Amino acid sequence: MNFRTSVSVQRSPAHAGISYRNTVMLLGSCFAENIGKRLTDGKFNVDVNPFGILYNPASTAEAIKRLLQPEVWSEKDLFFHEGLYHSWAHHSRFSAVTPAQSLHKINERLRAAAEHLRQTDWLLVTFGTAYVYRLKETGQVVANCHKLPDRMFVRERLSVSQIVETWEELLARLWRIRPAMKMLFTVSPVRHWKDGAHENQLSKSILLLAIEQLQAQHPQQVLYFPAYELMMDELRDYRFYAEDMLHPSEVAVQYLWERFAETWLDAAARETLEKVREIQQALNHRPLNPQNELYKQFLSQTLLKIERLCAKNPYLCLENEVEQLHEIPYQGNSCDHQSEI
């Protein structure tokens, strides 16, 4: 007897999946952050949310356009509110107490991400909501309201046609630069409850229909991962939610990652990822006596594993792990996860 409904997640045989030789970029809501962190930890060549968390398709599209034409931000692009300088195009992680500090963070990420995008093989985009906030003064759709009063904005809901038109134009620009780039869309499993229960469903439906149209028009290059469906059906129980009952719990996020990995990472990448995790676990091991001969042998064996893994995977970079490995014997005894080795 089956006590849950299962969501089928399949990858077309025509697509080989993400490998360690690929360059990956993720933009969008919290789900992009969660998947991006795991890819980063797994040592994939990845850039995650160079504008910070983005929720709506319009702001995400504008961020990519800015990466395609990386004009440097200046002080006139910022505004001051409650002791901090902010950008309408960025998440609050780029806010700072001085314009110089904010602009340094913004422009450093802009330069690196613009270069990364032009080499990207897989662009993963997560839409969170179809609702946007437009600044009354200028008509600009903002990526983040930065807790300014509601009276400064007009709240709108994008239509399917508006999203498709914007992204059709953007995809054409991306493919002129990188013709083989794959677009992998997801819809965030986080419910936007401030919009209201019914409005949240309408919003998610618009996002799903827009992605479906883009897929239909570009079946070989526009792909989809059903994160929202997995959360709503396979993980519908509230034990899979965080305390706010809206965001996925850590268990749920890990499950979604596992389903993503088994679908969109190729077999060789999954095998390499497991070996990277084994090395990282070894690096977290701390002995009571770091001068113990057995422990020195353990370190030598771990270093040999890294060398063999990198030789087999020339696109894999474990320089930080090698550096950490050389520092371990001098860190002393007061560490977690100690053993008698």
Side-chain angles (χ1 to χ4, degrees):
M1 184 177 293
N2 192 352
F3 290 100
R4 69 171 185 173
T5 54
S6 297
V7 176
S8 176
V9 185
Q10 296 180 341
R11 168 162 53 89
S12 168
H15 300 101
I18 299 169
S19 75
Y20 273 94
R21 68 173 59 89
N22 292 143
T23 300
V24 184
M25 177 174 278
L26 298 94
L27 293 101
S29 69
C30 298
F31 183 73
E33 296 267 306
N34 291 328
I35 296 298
K37 182 181 185 305
R38 284 161 172 78
L39 289 170
T40 301
D41 291 346
K43 299 300 176 177
F44 286 84
N45 183 13
V46 60
D47 190 308
V48 184
N49 272 342
F51 289 72
I53 296 172
L54 302 170
Y55 299 101
N56 69 77
S59 294
T60 308
E62 284 301 315
I64 296 174
K65 290 177 184 176
R66 192 68 182 244
L67 293 176
L68 291 173
Q69 291 183 308
E71 298 177 7
V72 174
W73 257 267
S74 64
E75 189 169 344
K76 65 180 176 58
D77 298 310
L78 306 178
F79 67 94
F80 186 75
H81 176 65
E82 293 187 346
L84 294 172
Y85 287 87
H86 310 272
S87 162
W88 291 121
H90 292 79
H91 187 266
S92 57
R93 70 176 61 160
F94 290 91
S95 301
V97 295
T98 69
Q101 290 173 338
S102 178
L103 291 170
H104 176 74
K105 291 190 286 185
I106 287 171
N107 289 320
E108 283 294 302
R109 288 295 284 120
L110 175 69
R111 281 187 284 268
E115 181 178 349
H116 193 94
L117 179 61
R118 291 180 176 273
Q119 303 173 31
T120 291
D121 303 300
W122 287 83
L123 183 57
L124 281 61
V125 174
T126 301
F127 293 155
T129 177
Y131 287 96
V132 299
Y133 287 84
R134 194 179 297 275
L135 193 62
K136 286 182 180 179
E137 183 180 355
T138 63
Q140 175 188 358
V141 171
V142 302
N144 196 300
C145 294
H146 297 290
K147 299 181 180 180
L148 271 80
D150 290 345
R151 65 177 180 274
M152 295 182 60
F153 307 95
V154 175
R155 179 173 173 269
E156 300 175 2
R157 190 176 70 209
L158 299 174
S159 67
V160 173
S161 60
Q162 284 176 310
I163 297 171
V164 171
E165 182 179 352
T166 297
W167 279 84
E168 273 289 340
E169 178 186 351
L170 181 57
L171 290 174
R173 291 180 62 183
L174 286 167
W175 287 329
R176 282 196 293 271
I177 294 170
R178 194 74 170 166
M181 182 188 291
K182 300 292 190 297
M183 288 294 308
L184 179 54
F185 285 102
T186 64
V187 171
S188 170
V190 178
R191 291 175 292 170
H192 287 246
W193 211 243
K194 289 183 179 179
D195 294 332
H198 181 59
E199 290 79 1
N200 174 72
Q201 289 299 96
L202 290 173
S203 170
K204 298 293 188 183
S205 298
I206 288 169
L207 300 176
L208 292 166
L209 288 169
I211 293 170
E212 182 187 47
Q213 283 197 26
L214 292 170
Q215 275 190 286
Q217 290 163 204
H218 308 282
Q220 296 303 312
Q221 286 183 275
V222 175
L223 312 164
Y224 180 67
F225 175 73
Y228 180 72
E229 293 84 344
L230 286 165
M231 193 71 205
M232 293 299 105
D233 285 282
E234 290 198 8
L235 305 179
R236 68 175 70 174
D237 193 292
Y238 275 111
R239 66 195 169 102
F240 295 115
Y241 284 83
E243 290 183 2
D244 64 2
M245 296 296 139
L246 299 175
H247 287 77
S249 67
E250 282 300 314
V251 171
V253 170
Q254 181 61 25
Y255 179 77
L256 293 172
W257 158 251
E258 290 173 0
R259 295 299 301 273
F260 176 87
E262 70 187 19
T263 306
W264 287 109
L265 302 186
D266 71 17
R270 294 196 299 272
E271 180 181 348
T272 300
L273 178 60
E274 286 303 311
K275 292 179 179 178
V276 169
R277 286 172 176 164
E278 290 175 6
I279 289 169
Q280 291 171 337
Q281 288 174 356
L283 291 173
N284 289 331
H285 174 79
R286 296 293 184 271
L288 288 173
N289 178 11
Q291 301 304 321
N292 185 292
E293 193 62 35
L294 287 176
Y295 182 60
K296 292 180 181 179
Q297 293 177 15
F298 172 78
L299 295 179
S300 297
Q301 291 169 359
T302 303
L303 181 59
L304 183 60
K305 287 180 180 179
I306 293 176
E307 292 172 350
R308 288 175 176 172
L309 187 59
C310 289
K312 187 177 179 181
N313 299 272
Y315 301 96
L316 185 63
C317 180
L318 292 174
E319 290 181 3
N320 290 339
E321 282 71 16
V322 171
E323 183 178 342
Q324 183 181 349
L325 191 61
H326 288 307
E327 292 175 354
I328 285 176
Y330 307 102
Q331 291 180 349
N333 301 337
S334 57
C335 300
D336 294 331
H337 311 297
Q338 294 180 341
S339 76
E340 294 294 339
I341 289 180

